Amino acid sequence: VLILYIAKKETRLNLRWRDYLAWDRVLTGDYLKITIPMLTVQGLWGVNTALQTVILGHMTANAIAANSVASTLFLMVKSMAVGSATSVIIGKAVGTGNRELARSYARSLQRVFVLIGIVSGAILFFIRIPVLGLYDLSAETRDMANTFLIILSVVCVGMSYQMPTNNGIIRGGGNPMFVVKMDLISIWLIV
């Protein structure tokens, strides 16, 4: 739709259809160099999610219920959002050619990630009991969910650092192979 709009409305550009379909070997190589590691990482996270589902499928009904309750409170969305914003900030600094500014941003943002993780973990730890009180759970399920939430409140600190660092600083800085290595280590630790 965008190509059609540009071709019809932006007559000043004077572009032809073959210009849109032109093949540039250097650009294709750069694109694949960045894209293949990212696809690998996302594929590995997909496998990780599938394996978690397989593991949960072999657990008791109480464990599945406890995991469902704990999972609703454990929001990774903030880490993904912070990572996306960081990628823009770092990418812009790298794009201007100011590597020292990018390094300075990276150091400052890593401190922010740790702070966000500590605050998020503390909030999760302290709200777990009142929130579990909202659910009609058996004593065994409540104890499991409580244990899961305590573990997740600690994991939250690490994930609040790891996800934005990988998805923001490293990707924004343009080193996708490092992301693949870090994510392989993270997935191995999770499994």
Side-chain angles (χ1 to χ4, degrees), residues 104-142:
S104 173
Y105 283 167
R107 284 189 294 271
S108 298
L109 287 167
Q110 287 180 49
R111 290 184 192 105
V112 170
F113 302 156
V114 171
L115 182 63
I116 288 171
I118 291 169
V119 170
S120 299
I123 290 171
L124 183 60
F125 181 82
F126 288 114
I127 68 166
R128 75 185 195 288
I129 299 299
V131 170
L132 287 176
L134 299 174
Y135 290 92
D136 183 26
L137 302 170
S138 69
E140 182 183 356
T141 304
R142 185 181 315 278

Side-chain angles (χ1 to χ4, degrees), residues 61-170:
N62 287 336
I64 293 170
N67 180 67
S68 294
V69 170
S71 295
T72 59
L73 289 177
F74 184 65
L75 298 175
M76 293 188 311
V77 173
K78 67 164 174 47
S79 296
M80 292 179 208
V82 170
S84 295
T86 299
S87 180
V88 172
I89 293 168
I90 298 295
K92 184 176 178 184
V94 169
T96 61
N98 192 342
R99 289 191 167 290
E100 194 50 48
L101 180 62
R103 285 188 185 102
S104 173
Y105 283 167
R107 284 189 294 271
S108 298
L109 287 167
Q110 287 180 49
R111 290 184 192 105
V112 170
F113 302 156
V114 171
L115 182 63
I116 288 171
I118 291 169
V119 170
S120 299
I123 290 171
L124 183 60
F125 181 82
F126 288 114
I127 68 166
R128 75 185 195 288
I129 299 299
V131 170
L132 287 176
L134 299 174
Y135 290 92
D136 183 26
L137 302 170
S138 69
E140 182 183 356
T141 304
R142 185 181 315 278
D143 288 342
M144 273 191 228
N146 185 41
T147 302
F148 289 169
L149 287 171
I150 291 171
I151 293 168
L152 289 175
S153 66
V154 174
V155 168
C156 184
V157 177
M159 286 191 75
S160 293
Y161 176 80
Q162 179 261 339
M163 287 182 75
T165 299
N166 280 1
N167 297 334
I169 293 173
I170 297 170

